[in-house]
Amino acid sequence: MPAAAAFHPWAPEFVADPYPGFAELRAAGRVHYFPPSNQWLIPRHADVSALLRDRRLGRTYLHRFSHEEFGRTPPPPAHEPFHVLNDNGLLDLEPPDHTRLRRLVSKAFTPRTVEQLTPVIGHLVNAMVSDFVAAGGGDLLTAIAEPLPVAVIAEMLGIP
């Protein structure tokens, strides 16, 4: 049985301790196709690092291929407004557009500006952790790791 067939990332046992599952994937090879999510799994750090640094690749394939050329189904036309906004965000752009936008926003992230955010971030984290503890725990990613950067950016923009 291929390693990806034994890979169950949604199983409670995996969520509680994913490391044995990752070790099985690494032991079984460098690349595995995972049908439930129609994705390729690359379980070894060195391989992932090499892929992330390969200039031929990017955050998305759309800078080089159409959905059809890449073997993917394009999103429904009704989703176009979302994709126009999302696909043109700084995180999904490739140079030179990414470089141009990064240069513009980098002024908001000077060491002095970031240092001035320390009390704000501390307040946000303390409030989120207090809520997390009061709730008796939960999913740390959902409760803190995902909303914290959004809350910091909102604070920087003056949005409550």
Side-chain angles (χ1 to χ4, degrees):
M1 163 171 32
F7 180 66
H8 302 289
W10 298 286
E13 306 81 39
F14 180 87
V15 172
D17 183 10
Y19 301 106
F22 292 149
E24 285 181 35
L25 281 176
R26 284 192 303 275
R30 297 174 65 183
V31 178
H32 308 282
Y33 180 69
F34 189 56
S37 62
N38 192 26
Q39 293 177 316
W40 291 93
L41 307 176
I42 314 297
R44 297 181 184 173
H45 179 271
D47 294 331
V48 172
S49 181
L51 288 168
L52 289 173
R53 285 169 175 67
D54 190 319
R55 302 299 287 166
R56 295 171 297 173
L57 304 173
R59 297 268 308 151
T60 177
Y61 52 84
L62 292 173
H63 67 291
R64 298 195 59 174
F65 306 101
S66 69
H67 292 294
E68 295 81 4
E69 290 170 325
F70 204 71
R72 304 291 297 214
T73 304
H79 295 177
E80 184 178 353
F82 168 80
H83 287 287
V84 166
L85 178 63
N86 189 62
D87 298 350
N88 288 293
L90 179 63
L91 296 178
D92 286 319
L93 290 175
E94 296 297 324
D97 295 324
H98 173 86
T99 307
R100 179 179 51 80
L101 289 176
R102 182 174 176 208
R103 198 171 289 125
L104 289 172
V105 300
S106 68
K107 295 173 180 131
F109 295 99
T110 64
R112 181 179 176 185
T113 305
V114 172
E115 182 64 33
Q116 290 173 342
L117 287 171
T118 300
V120 172
I121 295 170
H123 174 74
L124 290 168
V125 169
N126 287 335
M128 289 177 180
V129 169
S130 293
D131 291 346
F132 186 76
V133 170
D139 183 347
L140 192 61
L141 289 175
T142 303
I144 298 172
E146 290 174 350
L148 180 60
V150 174
V152 172
I153 291 168
E155 182 69 32
M156 291 175 76
L157 295 173
I159 300 170

Coordinates of all heavy atoms in Angstrom, one line a residue, residues 20-99:
P20 N 4.6 10.3 13.9 CA 4.8 9.0 13.4 C 4.3 8.9 11.9 O 4.9 8.2 11.1 CB 3.9 8.1 14.3 CG 3.9 8.8 15.6 CD 3.9 10.3 15.2
G21 N 3.2 9.5 11.6 CA 2.7 9.6 10.2 C 3.6 10.2 9.3 O 3.9 9.7 8.2
F22 N 4.2 11.3 9.7 CA 5.2 12.0 8.9 C 6.5 11.1 8.7 O 7.0 11.0 7.6 CB 5.7 13.3 9.5 CG 4.6 14.4 9.5 CD1 4.6 15.3 10.5 CD2 3.6 14.4 8.5 CE1 3.6 16.3 10.5 CE2 2.7 15.4 8.4 CZ 2.6 16.4 9.5
A23 N 6.9 10.4 9.8 CA 8.0 9.5 9.7 C 7.7 8.4 8.7 O 8.6 8.0 7.9 CB 8.4 8.9 11.0
E24 N 6.5 7.8 8.7 CA 6.2 6.8 7.7 C 6.3 7.3 6.3 O 6.8 6.6 5.4 CB 4.7 6.3 8.0 CG 4.6 5.4 9.2 CD 3.2 4.9 9.3 OE1 2.5 4.7 8.3 OE2 2.8 4.7 10.5
L25 N 5.8 8.5 6.0 CA 5.8 9.1 4.7 C 7.3 9.3 4.3 O 7.7 8.9 3.1 CB 5.1 10.5 4.7 CG 3.6 10.5 4.6 CD1 3.1 11.9 4.6 CD2 3.2 9.8 3.3
R26 N 8.1 9.8 5.2 CA 9.5 10.0 4.8 C 10.2 8.7 4.5 O 11.0 8.5 3.6 CB 10.3 10.7 6.0 CG 10.0 12.2 6.0 CD 10.9 12.9 7.0 NE 10.9 12.4 8.3 CZ 10.1 12.7 9.3 NH1 9.1 13.6 9.0 NH2 10.1 12.2 10.5
A27 N 9.9 7.6 5.3 CA 10.5 6.3 5.1 C 10.1 5.7 3.8 O 10.8 4.9 3.2 CB 10.2 5.4 6.3
A28 N 8.9 6.0 3.3 CA 8.3 5.4 2.1 C 8.8 6.1 0.8 O 8.5 5.5 -0.2 CB 6.8 5.4 2.2
G29 N 9.4 7.2 0.9 CA 9.9 7.9 -0.3 C 9.8 9.4 -0.3 O 9.3 9.9 0.7
R30 N 10.2 10.0 -1.4 CA 10.3 11.4 -1.4 C 9.1 12.1 -1.9 O 8.9 13.3 -1.5 CB 11.5 11.8 -2.3 CG 12.8 11.3 -1.8 CD 13.9 11.6 -2.8 NE 14.1 13.0 -3.0 CZ 15.0 13.5 -3.8 NH1 15.8 12.7 -4.6 NH2 15.1 14.8 -4.0
V31 N 8.2 11.4 -2.6 CA 7.0 12.1 -3.2 C 5.9 11.1 -3.2 O 6.0 9.9 -3.5 CB 7.3 12.5 -4.7 CG1 6.0 13.1 -5.3 CG2 8.5 13.5 -4.8
H32 N 4.7 11.6 -2.7 CA 3.5 10.7 -2.7 C 2.3 11.5 -3.1 O 2.1 12.7 -2.8 CB 3.2 10.3 -1.2 CG 4.4 9.7 -0.6 ND1 4.8 8.4 -0.8 CD2 5.3 10.2 0.3 CE1 5.9 8.1 -0.1 NE2 6.2 9.2 0.6
Y33 N 1.5 10.9 -4.0 CA 0.2 11.5 -4.4 C -0.8 11.2 -3.3 O -1.0 10.0 -2.9 CB -0.2 11.0 -5.7 CG -1.5 11.6 -6.2 CD1 -1.6 13.0 -6.5 CD2 -2.7 10.9 -6.2 CE1 -2.8 13.6 -6.9 CE2 -3.9 11.4 -6.6 CZ -3.9 12.8 -6.9 OH -5.1 13.4 -7.3
F34 N -1.6 12.2 -2.9 CA -2.6 12.0 -1.9 C -4.0 12.3 -2.5 O -4.4 13.5 -2.6 CB -2.3 12.9 -0.7 CG -3.2 12.7 0.5 CD1 -3.3 11.5 1.1 CD2 -3.9 13.7 1.0 CE1 -4.1 11.3 2.2 CE2 -4.7 13.6 2.1 CZ -4.8 12.3 2.7
P35 N -4.7 11.3 -3.0 CA -6.0 11.5 -3.7 C -7.1 12.3 -2.9 O -7.8 13.1 -3.5 CB -6.5 10.1 -4.0 CG -5.3 9.3 -4.0 CD -4.4 9.9 -2.9
P36 N -7.2 12.2 -1.6 CA -8.3 12.9 -0.9 C -8.2 14.4 -1.1 O -9.2 15.1 -1.1 CB -8.2 12.5 0.5 CG -7.6 11.2 0.5 CD -6.6 11.2 -0.6
S37 N -7.0 15.0 -1.2 CA -6.9 16.4 -1.4 C -6.3 16.7 -2.8 O -6.0 17.9 -3.1 CB -6.0 17.0 -0.4 OG -4.7 16.4 -0.4
N38 N -6.1 15.7 -3.7 CA -5.5 15.9 -5.0 C -4.2 16.7 -4.9 O -4.0 17.6 -5.7 CB -6.6 16.6 -5.9 CG -6.1 16.5 -7.4 OD1 -5.4 15.6 -7.8 ND2 -6.6 17.5 -8.2
Q39 N -3.3 16.2 -4.0 CA -2.1 16.9 -3.8 C -0.9 15.9 -3.8 O -1.1 14.8 -3.4 CB -2.1 17.7 -2.5 CG -3.0 18.9 -2.5 CD -3.1 19.6 -1.2 OE1 -3.1 19.0 -0.1 NE2 -3.0 20.9 -1.2
W40 N 0.3 16.5 -4.1 CA 1.5 15.7 -3.9 C 2.1 16.1 -2.5 O 2.1 17.2 -2.2 CB 2.5 16.0 -5.0 CG 2.0 15.5 -6.3 CD1 1.2 16.2 -7.3 CD2 2.2 14.2 -6.8 NE1 1.0 15.4 -8.3 CE2 1.5 14.1 -8.1 CE3 2.8 13.1 -6.4 CZ2 1.5 13.0 -8.9 CZ3 2.8 11.9 -7.1 CH2 2.1 11.9 -8.4
L41 N 2.5 15.1 -1.8 CA 3.1 15.2 -0.5 C 4.6 15.1 -0.6 O 5.1 14.1 -1.2 CB 2.6 14.2 0.5 CG 1.1 14.1 0.6 CD1 0.7 13.0 1.6 CD2 0.5 15.4 1.1
I42 N 5.3 16.0 -0.1 CA 6.8 16.0 -0.1 C 7.2 16.0 1.3 O 7.3 17.1 2.0 CB 7.4 17.2 -0.8 CG1 6.7 17.5 -2.2 CG2 8.9 17.1 -1.0 CD1 6.8 16.4 -3.2
P43 N 7.5 14.8 1.9 CA 7.7 14.8 3.4 C 9.1 15.1 3.9 O 9.3 15.2 5.1 CB 7.4 13.3 3.7 CG 7.8 12.6 2.4 CD 7.5 13.5 1.3
R44 N 10.1 15.3 3.1 CA 11.4 15.5 3.6 C 11.8 17.0 3.5 O 11.6 17.6 2.5 CB 12.4 14.7 2.8 CG 12.2 13.2 2.9 CD 13.2 12.4 2.1 NE 12.9 11.0 2.2 CZ 13.5 10.1 1.6 NH1 14.5 10.4 0.7 NH2 13.2 8.8 1.7
H45 N 12.4 17.5 4.6 CA 12.7 18.9 4.7 C 13.6 19.4 3.6 O 13.4 20.4 3.0 CB 13.3 19.2 6.1 CG 13.7 20.6 6.3 ND1 14.9 21.1 5.9 CD2 13.0 21.6 6.8 CE1 15.0 22.4 6.2 NE2 13.8 22.7 6.7
A46 N 14.6 18.6 3.3 CA 15.6 19.0 2.3 C 14.9 19.2 0.9 O 15.2 20.1 0.2 CB 16.7 18.0 2.2
D47 N 14.0 18.3 0.6 CA 13.2 18.4 -0.7 C 12.3 19.6 -0.7 O 12.2 20.3 -1.7 CB 12.4 17.1 -0.9 CG 13.3 15.9 -1.1 OD1 14.5 16.0 -1.6 OD2 12.9 14.8 -0.8
V48 N 11.6 19.8 0.4 CA 10.7 21.0 0.5 C 11.5 22.3 0.4 O 11.2 23.2 -0.3 CB 9.9 21.0 1.8 CG1 9.1 22.3 2.0 CG2 8.9 19.8 1.8
S49 N 12.7 22.3 1.1 CA 13.5 23.5 1.0 C 14.0 23.8 -0.4 O 14.0 24.9 -0.9 CB 14.7 23.3 2.0 OG 15.5 24.4 2.0
A50 N 14.4 22.7 -1.1 CA 14.9 22.9 -2.5 C 13.8 23.3 -3.4 O 14.0 24.2 -4.2 CB 15.4 21.5 -3.0
L51 N 12.6 22.8 -3.2 CA 11.4 23.3 -4.0 C 11.1 24.7 -3.7 O 10.8 25.5 -4.7 CB 10.2 22.4 -3.7 CG 10.3 21.0 -4.3 CD1 9.2 20.1 -3.7 CD2 10.2 21.0 -5.8
L52 N 11.1 25.1 -2.5 CA 10.8 26.5 -2.1 C 11.8 27.5 -2.7 O 11.5 28.6 -2.9 CB 10.6 26.6 -0.6 CG 9.4 26.0 0.0 CD1 9.5 26.1 1.5 CD2 8.1 26.6 -0.5
R53 N 13.0 27.0 -2.9 CA 14.1 27.9 -3.4 C 14.2 27.9 -4.9 O 15.0 28.6 -5.5 CB 15.4 27.6 -2.7 CG 15.4 28.1 -1.3 CD 16.6 27.5 -0.5 NE 16.7 28.1 0.9 CZ 15.8 27.9 1.8 NH1 14.7 27.2 1.7 NH2 16.0 28.5 3.0
D54 N 13.5 27.0 -5.5 CA 13.6 26.8 -7.0 C 12.9 28.0 -7.7 O 11.7 28.1 -7.5 CB 13.0 25.5 -7.4 CG 13.3 25.1 -8.9 OD1 13.3 26.0 -9.7 OD2 13.6 24.0 -9.1
R55 N 13.6 28.8 -8.4 CA 13.1 30.0 -9.0 C 12.1 29.7 -10.1 O 11.3 30.5 -10.6 CB 14.2 30.9 -9.6 CG 15.2 31.3 -8.6 CD 14.6 32.2 -7.5 NE 14.2 33.5 -7.9 CZ 13.5 34.3 -7.3 NH1 13.0 34.0 -6.1 NH2 13.2 35.5 -7.8
R56 N 12.0 28.4 -10.6 CA 11.1 28.0 -11.6 C 9.7 27.9 -11.0 O 8.7 27.9 -11.7 CB 11.5 26.7 -12.3 CG 12.8 26.9 -13.1 CD 13.3 25.6 -13.5 NE 13.6 24.7 -12.4 CZ 13.9 23.5 -12.4 NH1 14.0 22.8 -13.6 NH2 14.2 22.8 -11.3
L57 N 9.6 27.7 -9.7 CA 8.3 27.5 -9.0 C 7.9 28.8 -8.3 O 8.7 29.7 -8.1 CB 8.5 26.3 -8.0 CG 8.9 25.0 -8.6 CD1 9.2 24.0 -7.6 CD2 7.9 24.5 -9.7
G58 N 6.7 28.8 -7.9 CA 6.2 30.0 -7.1 C 5.1 29.6 -6.2 O 4.8 28.5 -6.0
R59 N 4.4 30.6 -5.7 CA 3.3 30.4 -4.8 C 2.1 29.8 -5.6 O 1.3 29.1 -5.0 CB 2.8 31.7 -4.2 CG 3.9 32.4 -3.3 CD 3.8 32.0 -1.9 NE 2.4 32.2 -1.4 CZ 1.9 31.5 -0.4 NH1 2.6 30.6 0.2 NH2 0.7 31.7 0.0
T60 N 2.1 30.0 -6.8 CA 1.0 29.5 -7.7 C 1.6 29.2 -9.0 O 2.7 29.7 -9.3 CB -0.1 30.6 -7.8 OG1 -1.1 30.0 -8.7 CG2 0.4 31.9 -8.4
Y61 N 1.0 28.4 -9.7 CA 1.4 28.0 -11.1 C 1.0 28.9 -12.1 O 1.4 28.9 -13.3 CB 1.0 26.6 -11.4 CG -0.5 26.3 -11.3 CD1 -1.4 26.7 -12.3 CD2 -1.0 25.8 -10.1 CE1 -2.7 26.5 -12.1 CE2 -2.3 25.5 -10.0 CZ -3.2 25.9 -11.0 OH -4.6 25.7 -10.8
L62 N 0.1 29.8 -11.8 CA -0.6 30.7 -12.8 C 0.4 31.7 -13.5 O 0.0 32.3 -14.5 CB -1.8 31.4 -12.2 CG -2.9 30.5 -11.8 CD1 -4.0 31.3 -11.1 CD2 -3.5 29.8 -13.1
H63 N 1.6 31.9 -12.9 CA 2.5 32.8 -13.6 C 3.2 32.1 -14.7 O 3.9 32.7 -15.5 CB 3.6 33.3 -12.6 CG 4.5 32.3 -12.0 ND1 4.0 31.3 -11.2 CD2 5.8 32.0 -12.2 CE1 5.1 30.5 -10.8 NE2 6.1 30.9 -11.5
R64 N 3.0 30.7 -14.8 CA 3.6 30.0 -15.9 C 2.6 29.1 -16.7 O 2.9 28.8 -17.9 CB 4.6 29.0 -15.3 CG 5.8 29.8 -14.6 CD 6.9 29.0 -14.3 NE 7.5 28.4 -15.6 CZ 8.6 27.7 -15.6 NH1 9.3 27.5 -14.6 NH2 9.0 27.3 -16.8
F65 N 1.5 28.7 -16.1 CA 0.6 27.8 -16.8 C -0.9 28.2 -16.5 O -1.2 28.9 -15.5 CB 0.7 26.4 -16.2 CG 2.1 25.9 -16.3 CD1 2.9 25.8 -15.2 CD2 2.6 25.4 -17.5 CE1 4.2 25.3 -15.2 CE2 3.9 24.9 -17.5 CZ 4.7 24.8 -16.4
S66 N -1.7 27.8 -17.4 CA -3.2 28.0 -17.2 C -3.6 26.9 -16.3 O -2.9 25.9 -16.1 CB -4.0 28.0 -18.5 OG -3.9 26.7 -19.0
H67 N -4.8 27.0 -15.7 CA -5.3 25.8 -14.9 C -5.4 24.6 -15.8 O -5.0 23.5 -15.3 CB -6.8 26.1 -14.4 CG -6.8 27.3 -13.4 ND1 -6.3 27.2 -12.2 CD2 -7.4 28.5 -13.5 CE1 -6.5 28.3 -11.5 NE2 -7.2 29.1 -12.3
E68 N -5.8 24.7 -17.0 CA -5.9 23.5 -17.9 C -4.5 22.9 -18.1 O -4.4 21.7 -18.1 CB -6.6 23.9 -19.2 CG -8.0 24.3 -19.0 CD -8.2 25.7 -18.6 OE1 -7.2 26.5 -18.5 OE2 -9.4 26.1 -18.4
E69 N -3.5 23.7 -18.4 CA -2.2 23.2 -18.7 C -1.6 22.5 -17.5 O -0.8 21.6 -17.6 CB -1.3 24.4 -19.1 CG -1.6 24.9 -20.5 CD -0.8 26.2 -20.7 OE1 -0.6 27.0 -19.8 OE2 -0.4 26.4 -21.9
F70 N -2.0 23.0 -16.3 CA -1.5 22.4 -15.1 C -2.3 21.2 -14.6 O -2.0 20.6 -13.6 CB -1.5 23.4 -14.0 CG -0.5 23.2 -12.9 CD1 0.9 23.3 -13.1 CD2 -0.9 22.8 -11.6 CE1 1.8 23.0 -12.1 CE2 0.0 22.5 -10.6 CZ 1.3 22.6 -10.8
G71 N -3.4 20.8 -15.4 CA -4.2 19.7 -15.1 C -5.2 19.9 -14.0 O -5.7 19.0 -13.3
R72 N -5.6 21.2 -13.8 CA -6.5 21.6 -12.7 C -7.8 22.1 -13.4 O -7.8 22.7 -14.5 CB -6.0 22.6 -11.8 CG -4.7 22.2 -11.1 CD -4.8 21.2 -10.1 NE -5.7 21.6 -9.0 CZ -5.5 21.2 -7.8 NH1 -4.5 20.4 -7.4 NH2 -6.4 21.6 -6.9
T73 N -8.9 22.0 -12.7 CA -10.1 22.6 -13.1 C -10.2 24.1 -12.7 O -9.9 24.4 -11.5 CB -11.3 21.9 -12.5 OG1 -11.3 20.5 -12.8 CG2 -12.7 22.5 -13.0
P74 N -10.4 25.0 -13.6 CA -10.5 26.4 -13.2 C -11.6 26.7 -12.3 O -12.6 25.9 -12.3 CB -10.7 27.2 -14.5 CG -10.9 26.2 -15.6 CD -10.7 24.8 -15.0
P75 N -11.5 27.7 -11.4 CA -12.6 28.0 -10.5 C -13.8 28.4 -11.3 O -13.7 29.0 -12.4 CB -12.0 29.1 -9.6 CG -10.9 29.7 -10.4 CD -10.4 28.6 -11.3
P76 N -15.0 28.3 -10.7 CA -16.2 28.7 -11.3 C -16.2 30.2 -11.6 O -15.7 31.0 -10.8 CB -17.3 28.4 -10.3 CG -16.7 27.4 -9.3 CD -15.2 27.7 -9.4
P77 N -16.8 30.6 -12.7 CA -16.8 32.1 -13.0 C -17.4 32.9 -11.9 O -17.0 34.1 -11.7 CB -17.7 32.2 -14.3 CG -17.6 30.8 -14.9 CD -17.4 29.8 -13.8
A78 N -18.4 32.4 -11.2 CA -19.0 33.1 -10.1 C -18.0 33.5 -9.0 O -18.2 34.4 -8.2 CB -20.1 32.4 -9.5
H79 N -16.8 32.8 -8.9 CA -15.8 33.0 -7.9 C -14.8 34.0 -8.4 O -13.8 34.3 -7.7 CB -15.1 31.7 -7.5 CG -16.0 30.8 -6.8 ND1 -15.6 29.5 -6.5 CD2 -17.3 30.8 -6.4 CE1 -16.6 28.9 -5.9 NE2 -17.6 29.6 -5.9
E80 N -14.9 34.5 -9.6 CA -13.9 35.4 -10.2 C -13.6 36.6 -9.3 O -12.4 36.9 -9.1 CB -14.3 35.9 -11.6 CG -13.2 36.7 -12.2 CD -13.5 37.1 -13.6 OE1 -14.5 36.7 -14.2 OE2 -12.7 37.9 -14.2
P81 N -14.6 37.3 -8.8 CA -14.2 38.5 -7.9 C -13.3 38.1 -6.8 O -12.4 38.9 -6.5 CB -15.6 39.0 -7.4 CG -16.6 38.5 -8.5 CD -16.0 37.2 -8.9
F82 N -13.5 37.0 -6.1 CA -12.7 36.6 -5.1 C -11.3 36.3 -5.6 O -10.3 36.8 -5.0 CB -13.2 35.3 -4.4 CG -12.2 34.7 -3.5 CD1 -12.0 35.2 -2.2 CD2 -11.5 33.6 -3.9 CE1 -11.1 34.6 -1.3 CE2 -10.5 33.0 -3.1 CZ -10.3 33.5 -1.8
H83 N -11.1 35.6 -6.7 CA -9.8 35.3 -7.2 C -9.1 36.5 -7.7 O -7.8 36.5 -7.6 CB -9.9 34.2 -8.3 CG -10.2 32.8 -7.7 ND1 -9.3 32.1 -6.9 CD2 -11.4 32.1 -7.6 CE1 -9.9 31.0 -6.5 NE2 -11.1 31.0 -6.9
V84 N -9.8 37.4 -8.3 CA -9.1 38.7 -8.7 C -8.4 39.3 -7.5 O -7.3 39.7 -7.5 CB -10.0 39.6 -9.4 CG1 -9.4 41.0 -9.6 CG2 -10.5 39.1 -10.8
L85 N -9.2 39.4 -6.4 CA -8.6 40.0 -5.2 C -7.5 39.1 -4.6 O -6.4 39.6 -4.3 CB -9.8 40.3 -4.2 CG -9.3 40.9 -2.8 CD1 -8.7 42.2 -3.0 CD2 -10.5 40.9 -1.9
N86 N -7.8 37.9 -4.3 CA -6.9 37.0 -3.6 C -5.7 36.7 -4.4 O -4.6 36.7 -3.9 CB -7.6 35.7 -3.3 CG -6.8 34.8 -2.4 OD1 -6.5 35.2 -1.3 ND2 -6.5 33.6 -2.9
D87 N -5.8 36.5 -5.7 CA -4.6 36.1 -6.5 C -3.7 37.3 -6.8 O -2.6 37.1 -7.3 CB -5.1 35.5 -7.9 CG -5.9 34.2 -7.7 OD1 -5.9 33.7 -6.5 OD2 -6.5 33.7 -8.7
N88 N -4.1 38.5 -6.5 CA -3.2 39.7 -6.7 C -2.7 40.2 -5.4 O -2.2 41.3 -5.3 CB -4.0 40.7 -7.5 CG -4.1 40.3 -8.9 OD1 -3.2 40.2 -9.6 ND2 -5.4 40.0 -9.3
G89 N -2.8 39.4 -4.3 CA -2.3 39.8 -3.0 C -0.8 39.6 -3.0 O -0.2 38.8 -3.8
L90 N -0.1 40.3 -2.2 CA 1.4 40.2 -2.1 C 1.9 38.8 -1.9 O 2.9 38.4 -2.6 CB 1.8 41.1 -0.9 CG 3.3 41.1 -0.6 CD1 4.1 41.8 -1.8 CD2 3.6 41.9 0.6
L91 N 1.2 38.0 -1.1 CA 1.7 36.6 -0.9 C 1.6 35.7 -2.1 O 2.3 34.7 -2.2 CB 0.9 36.0 0.3 CG 1.1 36.7 1.6 CD1 0.3 36.0 2.7 CD2 2.6 36.8 2.0
D92 N 0.7 36.0 -3.0 CA 0.6 35.2 -4.2 C 1.2 35.7 -5.5 O 1.0 35.1 -6.5 CB -0.9 34.9 -4.4 CG -1.4 33.9 -3.4 OD1 -0.7 32.9 -3.0 OD2 -2.6 34.1 -2.9
L93 N 1.9 36.8 -5.4 CA 2.5 37.4 -6.6 C 3.9 36.9 -6.8 O 4.6 36.6 -5.8 CB 2.4 38.9 -6.6 CG 1.0 39.5 -6.7 CD1 1.1 41.0 -6.5 CD2 0.4 39.2 -8.1
E94 N 4.4 36.9 -8.0 CA 5.7 36.6 -8.3 C 6.4 37.9 -8.8 O 5.8 38.9 -9.2 CB 5.8 35.6 -9.5 CG 5.2 34.3 -9.1 CD 5.9 33.5 -8.0 OE1 7.2 33.6 -7.9 OE2 5.3 32.9 -7.2
P95 N 7.7 38.0 -8.7 CA 8.4 39.1 -9.2 C 8.1 39.4 -10.7 O 7.8 38.4 -11.4 CB 9.9 38.8 -9.1 CG 9.9 37.8 -8.0 CD 8.7 37.0 -8.1
P96 N 8.0 40.6 -11.1 CA 8.4 41.8 -10.5 C 7.3 42.4 -9.6 O 7.5 43.4 -8.9 CB 8.8 42.7 -11.6 CG 7.9 42.3 -12.7 CD 7.8 40.8 -12.6
D97 N 6.0 42.0 -9.8 CA 4.9 42.6 -9.1 C 5.1 42.4 -7.6 O 4.9 43.4 -6.8 CB 3.6 41.9 -9.5 CG 3.2 42.3 -10.9 OD1 3.6 43.4 -11.4 OD2 2.7 41.4 -11.6
H98 N 5.5 41.2 -7.1 CA 5.8 41.0 -5.7 C 6.8 42.0 -5.2 O 6.6 42.6 -4.1 CB 6.2 39.6 -5.4 CG 6.6 39.3 -4.0 ND1 5.7 39.0 -3.0 CD2 7.8 39.4 -3.4 CE1 6.3 38.9 -1.9 NE2 7.6 39.1 -2.1
T99 N 7.9 42.1 -5.9 CA 9.0 43.0 -5.5 C 8.5 44.5 -5.4 O 8.8 45.1 -4.4 CB 10.1 42.9 -6.5 OG1 10.5 41.5 -6.7 CG2 11.3 43.7 -6.0

